[in-house]
Amino acid sequence: MTLTEKLRERISRAFYSHGLLCASYPIPIILFTGLCILACCYPLLKLPLPGTGPVEYSTPVKDYFPPSPDPVSQQGDLGERPDWYVGAPVAYIQQIFVKATVSPWQKNFLAVDVFRSPLSRVFQLVEEIRNHALRDSSGVKSLEEVCLQVTDLLPGLKKLRNLLPEHGCLLLSPGNFWQNDRERFNADPDIIKTIHQHEPKTLQTSATLKDLLFGLPGKYSGVNLYNRKRVVSYTVTLGLQRYDSRFLSSLRSRLKLLHPSPNCTLREENIVHVHFKEEIGIAELIPLVTTYIILFAYIYFSTRKIDMVKSKWGLALAAVVTVLSSLLMSVGLCTLFGLTPTLNGGEIFPYLVVVIGLENVLVLTKSVVSTPVDLEVKLRIAQGLSNESWSIMKNMATELGIILIGYFTLVPAIQEFCLFAVVGLVSDFFLQMFFFTTVLSIDIRRMELADLNKRLPAEACLPPAKAVSRSQRYERQPALRPATPHTITLQPSSFRNLRLPKRLRVIYFFARTRLAQRLIMAGTVIWIGILVYTDPAGLRTYLTSQVTEQSPLGEAGLPPMPVPGGVLPAGDPKLDLSVFPADPVQLSENQTQQREQKSGLDSLSRLEANQHSWAQGPEGKGNGQTELGTEAEVTWGAEDEEIWRKLSFRHWPSLFSYYNITLAKRYISILPAIPVTLYLNPQEALEVRHPQEANRYHPFLASSGAKLGAAAQPDQASPKLQGHRDVTLYKVAALGLASGIILVLLLFCLYKVFCPKNYGQNGLAHSRRKRGDLPCDDYGYSPPETEIVPLVLRGHLMDIECLASDGMLLVSCCLVGQIRVWDAQTGDCLTVIPKPRLRRDSSGVFDYQESWDHSPDGKNSLDDSFESSHQLKRMLGPPQPPLFCDQPDLTSLIDTNFSEQVKVPESETRLRAVGGRQKEAGYDFSSLVGKVYEEHSTSNCIGFTGLPAPHGQAGSRSLGCGNEEGGCSSRRRSLGDESFTAFDKSSPLPSWGGDLESSVWSLDLQGNLIVAGRSNGKLEVWDAIEGTLRSSNEEGQSGITALVFLNHRIVAARLNGSLDFFSLETHTSFNHLQFRGAPSRSSIPSSPVFSSSDIITCQLTHTVSCAHQKPITALKAAAGRLVTGSQDHTLRVFRLEDSCCLFTLQGHSGAITAVYMDQTMVLASGGQDGAICLWDVLTGSKVSHMYAHRGDVTSLTCTTSCVISSGLDDVISIWDRSSGIKLYSIQQEMGCGASLGVISDNLLVTGGQGCVSFWDIGYGDLLQTVYLGKSNESQPARQILVLENAAIVCNFGSELSLVYVPSVLEKLD
Amino acid sequence: MAENDAMPTLPKKCGPYISSVTSRGMNLVIRGIVLFFIGVFLALVLNLLQIQRNVTLFPPDVITSIFSSAWWVPPCCGTASAVIGLLYPCMDRHLGEPHKFKREWSSVMRCVAVFVGINHASAKVDFANNIQLSLTLAALSIGLWWTFDRSRSGFGLGVGIAFLATLVSQFLVYNGVYQYTSPDFLYVRSWLPCIFFAGGITMGNIGRQLAMVPLHRRSDRTELK
């Protein structure tokens, strides 16, 4: 024993005991595994949830300094400081938030006036900012020094070249639309169009140019024609390279001084740092999605091989759970030991699954389900495990080795991957061994419980199981396998019901599971979830703001506070005024517009609705003067706080990406915005008005002013806004739905296009089953071949030629013409035909021995008077005349005849027997007669008719009845006295010998009657139980090549191409029974169809003398039709009732060799040309034509969905019945080509060298191979016959083997 | 090794029936088309992977980034994959050694996943130097072949394809049709042959799987005689 073998045995032993353990205590083990998984996954709780949204962190403006780039130095600084907050930000964003309005509003103003003049002021503002410089002791510091200098735009953004700044400060304002040129702005006839010309037409989630330049969401800007509040907002966005607090505060104070915002309540104490994670764009997702699709395809193709278990999907789920939780465990364990995963988990996950794979799980399942089903569950699990232990360990070692090699690449990413993979592999192995095995044992136990009741009747017909030593079998050797089970597990599975075309199956699957619907639903839900999650103004922001107590909603009620002076450095004396805007009235007096407002302070007649609630300062009120209209008041509310939050979260990344600056894994710091309020007087608005606008736009009030009074509620705008957003949501949902449907349709079309190619691909793997190879399936896994000892039926001297069965009985016939009847249940030989003796109680081999021993000294034994008399009595039982007088109209006559003749023949025969003995001493005539009588009633009759005169009359009378020439002539000849002796001598003897010589060419069985067609043209009807000849007909001369025996009707096809229709008639004669003392016969098991006491006549009803020009080779009857196939390349269809020829089917280019027809009137025929034709018998049309085999088609059968053919090329091909497409084929062993049988609609049996294999027809999977003992090892199974009680009879030369497949019964019901 | 090359090359027998010939031709065309589209798809996806190396943050318009490679790249890859995918089963048939190893779709899916993974590694994983990267990828490619193919003919054809494709890309780069950012193997990246080899094995695997129906029919005919 080599080391490997020792190791192997040890492993297998360990697995065996492990399997026993798992199957014995399933629940504790599953609980234990669950605990293990939870414990290992616990460290995962610490990991941040994946998400790509930006993360914020606020620091006070006061004492702000950029964090140091070294994270270690500030470790103890602030506990809550996020780990990304190191080093300087990419940029500081300073927004100058401008709100501007034209006040007072005049009624004759145009809608465009709302924003034209406010926008025109941006150029001035930008100029101010650009030229701002801080002069202090260190010198002059201009904006150019602190701002973020940007270079070229990305080459792909040529259209934005004039709009975004290049080679200078990153300073964005709406003025960029007009290249910061006031003249251009003034000359622009249509502002809206200019602004919107770069807006994308489609739904866009990322930032648009308008958003970028305005610095706030488009709908807040107020630049549209229906701006009822008449306040225009925009920002000037300034990107800064360095944080210079003095410069910034000077800028802030200067702007505030120039454009004071009296009622501004914006808080300015916090810098918000926004950290952007690695952005996953859709384009980046495509490879990821592809890998996931491949992963799912892999999982699908793997798990669908799980079979023969109680719940296929349950096990598949368990397999997937095993893999997933092993991955989670590996991540958890790695985290626990300080190996923080830096890889993107989502990206490497598919590869990990692929590396770990599902194979072990599948192999385990297959191995366990293929253990003998009658073993205990524990033992089955243990055996299955130990069978596969070696391969599992080998695979595991190989994978670990590969990963180890990967680890030594010393590339950090690969090392990390390998580490994960190793931990994952180990945990996967652990889970397979504990979790999956246990689940499998539970599943199998469930299956056994469910099947126990159903299987009982089938097992009842089994031979009693021999006691086996259930010794532990660690090795997968056939010799060690238990020899007892004659069982093969073939689970009824709903998945195997029907082999539909794949397309149909997919459609049915869709229909059954409503897959598309559910997918769309799930997709929509996920989409909405993503939208909600990522929407900057959505749930997430709301939640975070709730949590951090910075809710904009909560602040709405706060009274306006003066801006704390501490924010700004106190060193600048100029700032005092603006820093403490204690008296807004004072400040407002600086401006002319304000003064006008003041004049109307007392008049409260027309209170602007949107101001009354929170406007605190000088309230804008209409002064009652009609020409002036309403005065506008710019308010700063809570909703203006950190207006950048309302921007798309991709706003900043996309802005920076235009300059090829990535924000991924970096952060920007957003400084508090500087509020700027602009009031423009009507004159200014009129001045900037473009000449074309006057005629294009209607006065503002004409369109919307009329509604103003009615709809002047403060919350008027917000429902509008809400409605707008809802519409967007609906649009998104509708788009999602539509795209989902289109996707499904597209996939479906693609599937339809590609379908024919993958058609039946799954079955083809068996093509590699070669001669001598072990049969195995495409998985490289051969189901463990079982060995059982079949019932061997021996007795035939020569090779068996014909087999027939009706489920209860089995009839075989060998080349010499000996027919044997076997009990299909027990395998006992009931009768041998022809037999020299007439013992009814004999059976089996015993009978065989005796009968052949008997024959040599038959004369002596038959000399016994008792014996002979007994025989004669029996002989006389069925009287002869009816055999001759077949005509129905004469039966009454015969019956009356019979009653009066009964005594006479008896006495006569006695006489004759004695006389015969006396007359011809050397020739034992009577014994011969006795023998021959049984099988050759006609010749016997001749003997009878020759002797007694009365009988001769009966014979002549019967001759008159007979109207067939051939029969008549022979009988006429026998009538002649001169020929009598000669005939008497010659005829019985040669006929007996001739029977042995004239072989049986065809055989059929029904009830207890055997119909045999002989090569000399004789048709015989035998009683199967008694072995007596019940009827015979030799009207035809040419050999009967095929027979059909169907409900009292026999159709015989002959070598000369003629077709004979016979009908069997029974005549029950009670008086005869009484006479003979019927009770003596009752001991015989009565046959279902024909009582042995009945008189059976075989009557030729019709002959089609020239059905075919050449010998008829195939014959089938079903559904009231009879089909003949002949060597003349044609098929003919006859009606059974009136033997009328309906169709002649032409289409083969060779002799017909096989024909199949079933109740659905579908006819399949195979010919010597190797072709298979499918016909519709109803119409006689050819349905399809397939070239199937190289050489003759030897046999042909159909299930409801498939056509199964075998040829001389030893290939069994399975075809789709409806389309005629070949599904797959099975290479048979040499000489086993024709041996196939269909057990049920989806179970096929094929023969091999000393074995039979079971296949799933639908999938082409090899289910099991059963070896039939040592004796048949080398012999090919030539023929397979499937009996109804789920037994299979295989023909191994002169022996028959009876194999039971009991559980098939389950499949039948 | 699951095959022996001592087997004599069987003379290819023409199918005796015209219908089987036409169906075979039809089948060939369909297979070619499928392989072409698989190739185009993989080319697009894998090209995207390579491009992502340079552009970490994507411009909003996705379509342009998908088709950011030159227009001729996907059709070329598609054609090449169709040729390879048809060549493999054809060669199997001519050598008379039908591919036996792991012929099923789940294994093919696994193979494709590993191929994408190799590409992913070549694009995303930061290696210390190019030699290391190339060696790793070479090992991975050989591993791919060993895991999913294991046929000598497959290996030979893969090496041939890799050689030829590298030559072609060298030629293309030499003529300035396109270029690599940091060529280290004459004009191209040194891992390119590995990728080509793995791609050849993968497409061959797919092609063999697709060809199983007609191939089997033919092998039936040739086996018997």
Side-chain angles (χ1 to χ4, degrees), chain A residues 25 65 148 205 323 328 364 377 455 522 548 615 635 738 789 802 871 966 1015 1050 1222:
Chain A
Y25 308 102
F65 59 93
L148 184 74
T205 51
V323 171
L328 284 181
L364 270 182
V377 177
R455 256 206 351 256
T548 51
T635 55
V789 180
C802 306
Q871 274 186 358
S1015 58
I1050 302 172
K1222 184 180 191 170

Coordinates of all heavy atoms in Angstrom, one line a residue, chain A residues 25 65 148 205 323 328 364 377 455 522 548 615 635 738 789 802 871 966 1015 1050 1222:
Chain A
Y25 N -26.7 14.3 13.9 CA -27.1 15.5 14.7 C -27.3 16.7 13.8 O -26.5 17.6 13.9 CB -26.1 15.7 15.8 CG -25.8 14.5 16.6 CD1 -24.6 13.9 16.5 CD2 -26.7 14.1 17.6 CE1 -24.3 12.7 17.2 CE2 -26.4 13.0 18.4 CZ -25.2 12.3 18.2 OH -24.9 11.2 18.9
F65 N -7.2 76.1 10.6 CA -6.0 76.0 9.8 C -6.1 74.6 9.1 O -6.7 73.7 9.5 CB -4.8 76.0 10.7 CG -4.8 74.9 11.8 CD1 -4.1 73.7 11.6 CD2 -5.4 75.1 13.0 CE1 -4.1 72.8 12.5 CE2 -5.4 74.2 14.0 CZ -4.8 73.0 13.7
L148 N -7.4 79.4 -7.1 CA -7.0 78.1 -7.7 C -6.8 78.4 -9.2 O -7.7 78.8 -9.9 CB -8.1 77.1 -7.5 CG -7.8 75.7 -8.0 CD1 -6.8 75.0 -7.1 CD2 -9.1 74.9 -8.1
T205 N -28.4 63.5 -14.3 CA -28.3 63.5 -12.9 C -27.1 64.4 -12.5 O -27.0 64.8 -11.4 CB -28.2 62.1 -12.3 OG1 -27.1 61.5 -13.1 CG2 -29.5 61.4 -12.5
V323 N -21.5 29.5 -0.2 CA -20.4 30.3 -0.8 C -20.4 31.8 -0.3 O -19.4 32.3 0.1 CB -20.6 30.3 -2.3 CG1 -19.6 31.3 -3.0 CG2 -20.3 28.9 -2.9
L328 N -18.3 36.1 3.4 CA -18.4 37.1 4.5 C -17.6 36.7 5.6 O -17.0 37.6 6.3 CB -19.9 37.1 4.9 CG -20.9 37.8 4.0 CD1 -22.3 37.8 4.5 CD2 -20.4 39.3 3.8
L364 N -20.6 16.7 -4.1 CA -21.1 16.1 -2.9 C -22.6 15.6 -3.1 O -22.9 14.5 -2.7 CB -21.1 17.1 -1.7 CG -19.8 17.1 -0.9 CD1 -20.0 18.1 0.3 CD2 -19.5 15.7 -0.3
V377 N -30.1 6.9 6.0 CA -29.7 8.2 5.5 C -28.2 8.5 6.0 O -27.4 9.0 5.3 CB -30.6 9.3 6.1 CG1 -30.1 10.6 5.7 CG2 -32.0 9.0 5.5
R455 N -43.2 3.9 -2.2 CA -42.4 2.8 -2.7 C -42.8 1.4 -2.2 O -42.3 0.5 -2.7 CB -40.9 3.1 -2.3 CG -40.1 3.6 -3.4 CD -38.7 3.4 -3.3 NE -38.2 2.8 -2.1 CZ -37.5 3.5 -1.2 NH1 -37.4 4.8 -1.4 NH2 -37.1 3.0 -0.1
A522 N -38.7 44.8 -8.9 CA -37.5 44.9 -8.1 C -36.6 46.0 -8.6 O -36.1 46.8 -7.8 CB -36.8 43.6 -8.0
T548 N -27.5 65.7 13.1 CA -26.5 66.7 13.6 C -27.2 67.9 14.1 O -26.5 68.9 14.3 CB -25.6 67.0 12.4 OG1 -26.4 67.4 11.3 CG2 -24.7 65.9 12.1
A615 N -40.2 88.3 7.1 CA -39.4 89.5 6.9 C -39.3 90.3 8.1 O -40.3 90.7 8.7 CB -40.0 90.3 5.8
T635 N -35.2 88.6 0.9 CA -35.2 88.1 2.2 C -34.1 86.9 2.2 O -33.9 86.3 1.2 CB -36.5 87.5 2.6 OG1 -36.9 86.5 1.6 CG2 -37.6 88.5 2.7
A738 N -40.2 51.6 -18.7 CA -40.1 51.5 -20.2 C -38.8 50.8 -20.5 O -38.7 49.8 -21.3 CB -40.2 52.8 -20.9
V789 N -27.5 -8.1 -8.7 CA -27.6 -9.5 -9.3 C -29.0 -9.6 -9.8 O -29.9 -9.6 -9.1 CB -27.3 -10.5 -8.2 CG1 -27.4 -11.9 -8.8 CG2 -26.0 -10.3 -7.6
C802 N -36.8 -13.7 -30.2 CA -38.0 -12.9 -30.0 C -38.3 -12.8 -28.6 O -38.1 -13.7 -27.8 CB -39.2 -13.4 -30.7 SG -39.0 -13.8 -32.5
Q871 N -53.9 -38.6 -21.6 CA -53.6 -37.7 -22.7 C -54.7 -37.6 -23.7 O -55.1 -36.6 -24.1 CB -52.3 -38.2 -23.4 CG -51.1 -37.7 -22.8 CD -49.9 -38.1 -23.6 OE1 -50.1 -38.8 -24.6 NE2 -48.7 -37.8 -23.1
G966 N -55.7 -23.2 -50.1 CA -54.6 -23.9 -49.6 C -55.0 -24.9 -48.6 O -54.5 -26.0 -48.6
S1015 N -41.7 -19.4 -39.6 CA -41.1 -19.1 -40.8 C -41.7 -19.9 -42.0 O -41.6 -19.6 -43.1 CB -39.6 -19.5 -40.8 OG -39.4 -20.8 -40.4
I1050 N -55.7 -10.6 -34.9 CA -54.3 -10.9 -35.2 C -54.0 -10.5 -36.6 O -54.8 -10.8 -37.5 CB -54.0 -12.4 -35.0 CG1 -54.3 -12.9 -33.6 CG2 -52.5 -12.7 -35.3 CD1 -54.2 -14.4 -33.4
K1222 N -32.3 17.2 -33.6 CA -31.6 16.2 -32.8 C -31.2 16.8 -31.5 O -30.5 17.9 -31.4 CB -30.4 15.7 -33.5 CG -29.6 14.6 -32.8 CD -28.4 14.2 -33.6 CE -27.8 13.0 -33.2 NZ -26.8 12.6 -34.2

